[in-house]
Amino acid sequence: MEMETELVLSSSLHYMLPRKRAVGGEAVVVEVEEDNCKAGSLKKPRILTATIGPAEATGNVNTNSSIGDNNSNHSRGDAKPPIMALGEGNPPDIDEDLHSRQLAVYGRETMRRLFASNVLISGMQGLGAEIAKNIILAGVKSVTLHDEGSVELWDLSSNFIFTEDDVGKNRALASVQKLQELNNSVVISTLTTELTKEQLSDFQAVVYTNTSLEKAIEFDDYCHNHQPPISFIKSEVRGLFGSVFCDFGPEFTVFDVDGEDPHTGIIASISNDNPALVACVDDERLEFQDGDLVVFSEVQGMTELNDGKPRKVKNARPYSFSLDEDTTDFGAYEKCGIVTQVKQPKVLKFKPLKEALKDPGDFLLSDFSKFDRSPLLHLAFQALDKFIMELERFPVAGSEEDARKLISFACNINDSLTVGKLEEIDQKLLHHFAFGARAVLNPMAAMFGGVVGQEVVKACSGKFHPLFQFFYFDSVESLPTEPLDPSDLKPINSRYDAQISVFGAKLQKKLEDAKVFIVGSGALGCEFLKNVALMGVSCGNQGKLTITDDDVIEKSNLSRQFLFRDWNIGQAKSMVAASAAASINPHLHIEALQNRASPETENVFDDTFWENLIVVINALDNVNARLYIDQRCLYFQKPLLESGTLGAKCNTQMVIPHLTENYGASRDPPEKQAPMCTVHSFPHNIDHCLTWARSEFEGLLEKTPAEVNAYLVNPIEYTSAMRNAGDAQARDNLERVIECLDKERCETFQDCVTWARLKFEEYFANRVKQLTFTFPEDAATSNGAPFWSAPKRFPRPLQFSIDDPSHLHFVMAASILRAETFGIPIPDWVKSPMKLADAVSKVIVPDFLPMKDAKIVTDEKATSLSTASVDDAAVINELIMKLEKCQKKLPPGFRMNPIQFEKDDDTNYHMDVISSLANMRARNYSIPEVDKLKAKFIAGRIIPAIATSTAMATGLVCLELYKVIHGGHKVEDYKNTFANLALPLFSMAEPVPPKVIKHQDMSWTVWDRWILGDNPTLRELLQWLRDKGLNAYSISYGSCLLYNSMFPRHKERMDRKLVDLAKEIGKAELPPYRRHFDVVVACEDDEDNDIDIPQISIYFR
């Protein structure tokens, strides 16, 4: 059992956030309080050595490591001075353009802790290289690579850094240059001589990938007892088996166990009771669990709960919970209130390796069908260590004698156990383990590189729950289904020898001759390309890999799309990625395209292209593209390997013809959208404010200028279209265009300042005054309930002040963008607060008078704020006349410059306007404001992404790729996975088989497509179906009916070729590359029961 206590950290500690990566350490007093202690009985305070670093929440301090050691000149005793790559170790601060997706996962404080951390990686074979890649991309202060060995041809099966030219060089030295290219702000150095314990004192985390148990125990003891403790990780990949062990010291504090935002609820009622019952509005389900601590705010009436004291949740339900508190004597609840989860730090007590080997505790499981596998692998890895110590070599692949020896070692270790002794040892599994023990396979290295890379981040930052303490994994299902001939496992002096020693030369040949399609070359695509290049996929004479992506490289890609460099920004992703993959393995036969795979490009990805493929690998970032590729794979009956990531989470899904359901067979429910009236008039969280802000940004700065240009380019056509539409939307469009070209037209920059100042008044004062005039604070609904009841929040207007920097910032950013739309030069003085304040002071702001008949939408089902009117047509005619007058006043050739929202450029003022709009609105409604970065995540809909989960997902998929290309596996051999590296959680299960439809002695699934060749007539198709006991009553092509038994005239079509009917009636365009078309047939059986049959393909060429 893992031991834990909760830390309550003094809120009186305030810490300056460091501006640079290097920070110094100092001592902090932290009080540890027991959960159930009586008032006044506190545990004795302890002095903990800690670096003052930024905290994820108030008072969170990393007490586990001397984060921020300024001394990067590691003392190495008699060792040679390190070879150090050129890299700036102290950047001024986090580059938010580069790390935006990673910041969305970790937050600034975790990133700064990372930036102050020094990491050692010992063993630079495939696993070491993958771990190094992931933590260098994450951005630590320094990485020291240790390896005493030389590059062998064998290493090229799993290490993406090495080439054949590196054979014979020291592994660490050969790794520096390519790893340094990943992130110039990380100092990378090397050690090429034997490590001593004393050298470890300079590091916050040390990782060993290829060391004996004896040495590992010695190093771990030193790290465990060091002050402060050094986080120790030991990981190995041996063929299709892998292990991880973590020891982060006697007491390691986790500040954020899962990385999720604290859950919140909007209160509807609280009882005066013991325990009190708290009910919340049914806007969203509560995510609280029994035992959670929560705090209350904004409660009216029962104000005693607003004291900030954490209280315990009991009996948690979807929309209510009990509070472990007696509220009998509290004030009666009146209205309002927010309840928020308090995330508690957690202290883990790790055992050193020496103890943990004998008493490993609970193993972290990945596959419940193998729940008894971990204790056996715990023995197997110890037996392998003993084998290597005694024989000074690895077992030889295919050697029965070596396998027996390793099994004997395992049995002896098992017999010596007093606790946890196994009753039976699976000798077949240990045979597989022995045969592949020397090999480091790329997919295994990629997967474990992700897992271990994430553990290093946890060790350095206290973010996410560490792996506690052993994790074992195997993928023996990836082996060929038939027994392997030992002679097939022998090395052939090729770069694939390590892989051949596990899978045999026959499967290697299949891999090399495979025709593969990778869709997308972003983060997943880069990892897949690296993996398949190392595996030798499509590297033979018959093989071909096609990759396509229509995107170009941006700066924000570089923190995880590791094949790209800063000099590639602006270039095509697929071209750069293909070139980089070919440099990993020059034998790779790859074609890079820049076409989006879609119905519009079926002339590029035509029937012949799809029919020749062996497998498709998706590396996409949106559901619609995935569904399209899924349909293509269904149609052509091709395996599809699907994966995706979201922050520290990842999932993989295997779509195998006739064995599994397809990707589109199950869908996630659509995300809940806030009603339009909530976003526009009744926001109650910052997401609503940001949704509104982005909508206003696009309306003011993109859509309206574009609408103006549409009119100016062709006034006659535009006004004619508006007259023909004659609806509220057309009226609104015309009003916006006239407003833009008439009273809101800007000719000077002062006009833009005036516009921005008046927009502030309109948005944050006048609209609120109108809303509260129409619905006063004491307003009631038609059934007598208070109108302003939860979740609605009563707003207050803002009073503009030139002394408020946020008010001036809004005016500055908005006036700059307004000037851009009108092509007005932007003066330097706009960035001077004093000069801008002078310009704002010149603006005359008219007094506001509320309207008595203002229409404010309160219907949550309304989809538009425009209200139709019987006079729309007449009003539109008047507006067109006004517009024509406006046009005459414009200079010749006048056009506006619409601004398209771009979130990833911090110099363009787009996010300044959106975050200012959202925060001012939040201030109206007393909603907590957010900084520009958080606003960018929400308004820019940024998907959180990190390199570790991406690497793990692609490693898991490539373990399935072995099975697909071999071709003889059953559905139970395949694995779908969901993993969350933050927890950590691994959940693997066999895929769901497809639904089977039966008729007479036939059966079919969604995978089946019936094919009728030889250019048949309609009569021949009907007879072909009758022979199957099916009576067709309707045949359609697209939306056109080719035949219906109810229409007598359709009988005249019986002897016509179906292709001619499709061209004539269905207007089918069948280009030369198309050899067939598809029809949908509705059928009945002889008892008139409808039968769903597969799509039918008619081949006419």
Side-chain angles (χ1 to χ4, degrees), residues 521-648:
S521 60
L524 288 165
C526 284
E527 289 283 342
F528 279 128
L529 278 175
K530 174 255 297 174
N531 295 354
V532 298
L534 290 170
M535 293 163 69
V537 174
S538 305
C539 292
N541 293 332
Q542 306 299 313
K544 184 180 179 185
L545 171 62
T546 305
I547 185 159
T548 193
D549 196 310
D550 66 344
D551 204 0
V552 296
I553 297 162
E554 298 173 3
K555 186 177 180 182
S556 63
N557 301 149
L558 304 182
S559 66
R560 64 202 185 284
Q561 299 177 21
F562 80 104
L563 296 181
F564 307 145
R565 304 290 177 262
D566 51 9
W567 57 83
N568 298 132
I569 291 171
Q571 297 173 13
K573 281 187 175 181
S574 59
M575 305 296 284
V576 175
S579 174
S583 70
I584 292 172
N585 187 344
H587 305 291
L588 182 64
H589 294 153
I590 185 166
E591 181 182 13
L593 302 174
Q594 291 169 256
N595 304 92
R596 183 186 294 258
S598 66
E600 293 73 39
T601 56
E602 286 179 10
N603 60 325
V604 178
F605 308 111
D606 58 18
D607 293 8
T608 306
F609 172 82
W610 280 97
E611 285 162 359
N612 287 334
L613 293 175
I614 297 292
V615 63
V616 179
I617 300 174
N618 264 355
L620 291 162
D621 61 0
N622 68 90
V623 171
N624 287 339
R626 287 182 167 104
L627 289 170
Y628 173 74
I629 297 296
D630 178 54
Q631 286 303 308
R632 296 271 86 192
C633 288
L634 262 183
Y635 190 85
F636 291 100
Q637 302 187 19
K638 300 298 176 184
L640 172 63
L641 308 187
E642 174 59 64
S643 57
T645 70
L646 181 68

Side-chain angles (χ1 to χ4, degrees), residues 704-957:
T704 299
E707 200 75 24
V708 167
N709 289 350
Y711 167 69
L712 294 174
V713 167
N714 197 329
I716 295 169
E717 188 179 303
Y718 182 86
T719 53
S720 172
M722 292 299 113
R723 280 195 181 98
N724 291 340
D727 57 8
Q729 184 65 55
R731 186 190 71 210
D732 282 359
N733 287 349
L734 286 165
E735 285 172 348
R736 285 206 323 270
V737 171
I738 291 166
E739 188 175 56
C740 194
L741 293 179
D742 187 16
K743 73 175 185 184
E744 291 191 357
R745 183 178 156 212
C746 298
E747 296 180 3
T748 66
F749 193 79
Q750 178 64 47
D751 292 344
C752 299
V753 172
T754 301
W755 176 85
R757 171 65 186 88
L758 294 178
K759 276 292 167 199
F760 183 100
E761 199 69 17
E762 178 195 341
Y763 283 145
F764 311 122
N766 297 349
R767 286 193 186 183
V768 173
K769 289 173 185 174
Q770 180 66 62
L771 180 63
T772 55
F773 176 83
T774 306
F775 301 109
E777 197 164 3
D778 59 357
T781 62
S782 55
N783 60 11
F787 180 83
W788 292 103
S789 58
K792 290 189 181 78
R793 302 171 72 87
F794 186 75
R796 312 278 175 194
L798 299 186
Q799 177 71 46
F800 184 88
S801 169
I802 57 173
D803 297 322
D804 188 324
S806 60
H807 293 189
L808 269 188
H809 190 76
F810 168 78
V811 172
M812 179 191 75
S815 58
I816 287 171
L817 293 190
R818 185 65 169 178
E820 278 184 30
T821 62
F822 279 94
I824 296 168
I826 297 160
D828 291 338
W829 60 257
V830 71
K831 292 171 190 173
S832 161
M834 285 180 63
K835 291 178 181 176
L836 180 62
D838 287 344
V840 173
S841 300
K842 295 173 186 171
V843 179
I844 298 167
V845 180
D847 291 336
F848 174 72
L849 290 172
M851 294 185 292
K852 291 187 177 177
D853 57 350
K855 291 177 180 170
I856 297 171
V857 177
T858 57
D859 180 5
E860 292 196 354
K861 293 176 183 171
T863 56
S864 170
L865 299 177
S866 304
T867 50
S869 162
V870 289
D871 301 326
D872 278 343
V875 172
I876 283 169
N877 277 327
E878 272 183 48
L879 291 172
I880 287 171
M881 288 168 64
K882 269 192 197 177
L883 187 54
E884 286 166 351
K885 286 180 188 174
C886 289
Q887 187 199 8
K888 290 171 185 172
K889 297 176 188 174
L890 296 175
F894 174 82
R895 295 287 185 276
M896 293 191 72
N897 305 310
I899 295 174
Q900 280 198 312
F901 174 54
E902 171 48 62
K903 61 184 176 288
D904 284 323
D905 178 358
D906 273 350
T907 65
N908 64 12
Y909 292 98
H910 296 191
M911 276 313 306
D912 297 78
V913 167
I914 287 176
S915 59
S916 293
L917 279 168
N919 282 331
M920 294 305 103
R921 188 168 176 79
R923 210 172 285 182
N924 282 140
Y925 288 86
S926 303
I927 293 167
E929 297 172 35
V930 292
D931 64 13
K932 195 167 89 171
L933 183 67
K934 180 75 172 175
K936 183 199 281 194
F937 295 155
I938 300 169
R941 300 174 191 128
I942 285 177
I943 305 297
I946 47 178
T948 49
S949 53
T950 306
M952 181 180 178
T954 59
L956 288 166
V957 167

